[in-house]
């Protein structure tokens, strides 16, 4: 009987030792929480031009991620299973992707249902009009908006706010693989990636006159009514929003004299690499407005430039995008207006889209 009791005691000791070791990966005896690994791709990568003539790099400020928030929801139920908020974004700000680990609950780590991953960057009251936090539901994220005073038409935002440009990324119905304590999304051969996309677009105007011609003055630039939504969803939605119901001025102060150059036609976009053209315009002595950061729009943007030549009366020139949808989020547009003689203004526009590089080897949710 004594021998049997010793045998049973030895089995119990071994069982307890296995229980402790099995619940700890750091040798402390403390159980580690399960985490879901999420790979976030930086928006720093080049903008691609629609005509595939190259790419244009955004500014550091336009790409900077100051704060990142990640929500994980069960796809079928909408139940939140994890949340992460961090300002440790140095890798994202070098133009690379970064891995983040979101603590998830036990039930989720055992069942591993498909998930929706919502990622937002730089969401602060100062630049978005509202904040979101750990308690925000999936429905609240879907309804979150930029209001009319944040990247709308009044006031005009002509510089990147201190908090940064708002950005968003989303993956839906993603499978979860791996075993606790470390889980991930995607397949065993391909880690699914959330690609951040700026929630706004921008437009800027560039002007030139010809030497030895009457002074060119720009009196007004305005967008037509019905061009820019008064609000914009942070996460893209198919629902219709109300648009500006009156023409919107884009030039706070008239330009009394546009820079004159010998031959303004050399600044017309002529099929060169996009970055080369961007640098050419930026480094030129032409008259340029600040960029206008605006809500995205599915409309074919159209407006007018009111100008004078010398002592002549005011004249109006219409500008418009090539097609509806050219000003969806993360797009940029340069309007070049120049006077080459003949008593009227001529226009040339370059439409560039996608501040981020969509041509990477990951499963990415693209807007």
């Amino acid at each position: 009987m004594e021998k049997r009791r010793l045998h049973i005691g030895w089995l119990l000791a071994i069982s307890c030792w296995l229980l402790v070791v099995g619940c700890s990966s750091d040798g402390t005896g403390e159980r580690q929480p399960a985490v879901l690994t999420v790979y976030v791709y930086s928006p720093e990568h080049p903008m691609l031009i629609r005509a595939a003539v190259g790419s244009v790099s955004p500014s550091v400020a336009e790409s900077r991620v100051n704060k990142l928030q990640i929500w994980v929801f069960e796809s079928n139920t909408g139940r939140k299973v994890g949340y992460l908020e961090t300002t440790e974004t140095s890798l994202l700000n070098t133009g690379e992707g970064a891995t983040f680990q979101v603590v998830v609950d036990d039930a989720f780590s055992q069942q591993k249902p498909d998930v929706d991953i919502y990622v937002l960057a730089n969401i602060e009251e100062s630049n978005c009009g509202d904040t979101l936090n750990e308690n925000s539901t999936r429905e609240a994220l879907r309804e979150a908006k930029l209001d009319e005073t944040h990247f709308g038409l009044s006031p005009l935002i002509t510089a990147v706010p201190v908090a940064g440009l708002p950005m968003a990324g989303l993956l839906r119905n993603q499978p979860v693989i791996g075993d606790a304590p470390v889980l991930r999304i995607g397949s065993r051969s391909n880690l699914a990636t959330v690609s951040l996309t700026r929630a706004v677009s921008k437009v800027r105007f560039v002007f030139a006159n010809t030497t030895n011609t009457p002074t060119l003055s720009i009196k007004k630039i305005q967008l037509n009514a019905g061009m820019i939504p008064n609000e914009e969803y942070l996460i893209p939605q198919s629902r219709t929003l109300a648009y500006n119901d009156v023409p919107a001025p884009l030039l706070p102060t008239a330009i009394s004299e546009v820079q004159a150059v010998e031959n303004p036609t050399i600044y017309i976009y002529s099929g060169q690499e996009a970055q080369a053209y961007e640098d050419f315009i930026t480094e030129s002595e032409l008259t340029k407005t600040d960029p206008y950061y605006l809500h995205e729009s599915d409309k074919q943007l159209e407006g007018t430039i009111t100008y004078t030549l010398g002592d002549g009366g005011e004249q109006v020139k219409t500008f418009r995008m090539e097609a509806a949808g050219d000003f969806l989020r993360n797009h940029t547009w340069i309007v070049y207006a120049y006077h080459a003689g003949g008593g009227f203004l001529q226009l040339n526009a370059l439409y560039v889209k996608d501040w981020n590089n969509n041509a990477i080897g990951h499963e990415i949710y693209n807007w």
Side-chain angles (χ1 to χ4, degrees):
M1 292 294 295
E2 182 66 24
K3 185 176 182 179
R4 183 180 178 186
R5 285 196 296 270
L6 287 172
H7 182 66
I8 293 173
W10 178 79
L11 288 175
L12 288 172
I14 290 294
S15 298
C16 290
W17 180 80
L18 288 173
L19 183 63
V20 170
V21 172
C23 292
S24 173
S25 62
D26 57 10
T28 65
E30 296 181 2
R31 184 178 181 280
Q32 285 189 310
V35 295
L36 181 65
T37 301
V38 178
Y39 188 82
V40 178
Y41 199 65
S42 168
E44 177 71 15
H45 289 259
M47 302 181 287
L48 301 180
I49 189 167
R50 183 179 60 179
V53 298
S55 59
V56 176
S57 297
S59 70
V60 171
E62 289 169 343
S63 295
R64 184 169 297 281
V65 176
N66 297 302
K67 183 178 79 172
L68 194 74
Q69 294 170 278
I70 302 174
W71 292 261
V72 180
F73 300 97
E74 291 184 0
S75 297
N76 289 337
T77 66
R79 185 178 77 89
K80 181 176 69 68
V81 296
Y83 172 78
L84 174 69
E85 180 176 325
T86 182
T87 57
E88 297 297 325
T89 57
S90 57
L91 282 178
L92 291 176
N93 290 327
T94 62
E96 300 295 332
T99 298
F100 299 90
Q101 291 188 324
V102 183
V103 175
V104 293
D105 57 46
D106 290 340
F108 172 81
S109 65
Q110 294 171 15
Q111 299 169 10
K112 294 186 285 190
D114 289 356
V115 294
D116 295 346
I117 309 290
Y118 286 73
V119 181
L120 294 176
N122 302 335
I123 306 305
E124 301 286 1
E125 187 171 359
S126 62
N127 67 337
C128 296
D130 202 356
T131 58
L132 297 160
N133 55 42
E134 182 176 6
N135 298 319
S136 300
T137 64
R138 186 169 63 172
E139 290 68 28
L141 294 176
R142 289 172 175 170
E143 293 294 328
K145 301 183 187 75
L146 298 171
D147 64 26
E148 59 185 338
T149 64
H150 296 86
F151 302 100
L153 291 167
S154 181
L156 289 169
I157 305 299
T158 58
V160 176
V162 173
L165 293 178
M167 306 175 190
L170 172 64
L171 287 174
R172 289 193 178 103
N173 300 311
Q174 292 295 305
V176 177
I177 62 172
D179 297 302
V182 180
L183 307 171
R184 66 175 188 159
I185 53 175
S187 64
R188 296 195 180 277
S189 61
N190 189 17
L191 177 64
T193 303
V194 186
S195 183
L196 285 174
T197 303
R198 297 166 191 80
V200 297
S201 286
K202 72 174 180 178
V203 56
R204 62 172 175 154
F205 295 82
V206 180
F207 300 98
N209 194 11
T210 302
T211 54
N212 301 318
T213 62
T215 298
L216 171 62
S217 301
I218 308 300
K219 301 300 184 181
K220 292 188 297 184
I221 306 173
Q222 66 178 23
L223 280 176
N224 292 352
M227 294 288 103
I228 299 293
N230 296 328
E231 298 178 304
E232 179 195 339
Y233 290 105
L234 284 172
I235 302 295
Q237 306 286 333
S238 59
R239 291 171 289 178
T240 302
L241 293 167
Y243 288 74
N244 62 301
D245 55 7
V246 296
L250 292 182
L251 189 65
T253 305
I255 300 171
S256 59
E257 184 173 356
V258 169
Q259 178 67 45
V261 295
E262 185 175 346
N263 182 10
T265 63
I266 66 173
Y267 297 98
I268 298 173
Y269 177 70
S270 57
Q272 62 266 59
E273 288 293 318
Q275 185 66 62
Y277 182 73
E278 175 79 8
D279 294 342
F280 185 44
I281 291 296
T282 300
E283 296 167 7
S284 73
E285 57 185 5
L286 303 182
T287 299
K288 312 173 191 72
T289 68
D290 292 326
Y292 303 108
Y293 297 95
L294 298 170
H295 296 162
E296 68 172 334
S297 175
D298 60 353
K299 305 296 185 182
Q300 182 180 10
L301 294 196
E302 182 175 310
T304 56
I305 298 171
T306 302
Y307 66 97
T308 61
L309 284 167
D311 297 329
E314 289 188 351
Q315 302 183 64
V316 178
K317 184 71 175 182
T318 297
F319 62 88
R320 66 174 58 86
M321 281 195 155
E322 182 178 336
D326 281 357
F327 204 66
L328 294 177
R329 66 181 56 204
N330 206 41
H331 290 44
T332 184
W333 189 30
I334 297 174
V335 179
Y336 175 45
Y338 62 97
H339 171 240
F344 58 91
L345 203 63
Q346 300 184 60
L347 292 178
N348 180 262
L350 176 65
Y351 154 69
V352 181
K353 72 173 185 177
D354 295 343
W355 271 313
N356 64 315
N357 184 358
N358 291 328
I360 60 173
H362 299 289
E363 297 174 10
I364 303 172
Y365 182 89
N366 296 320
W367 303 124

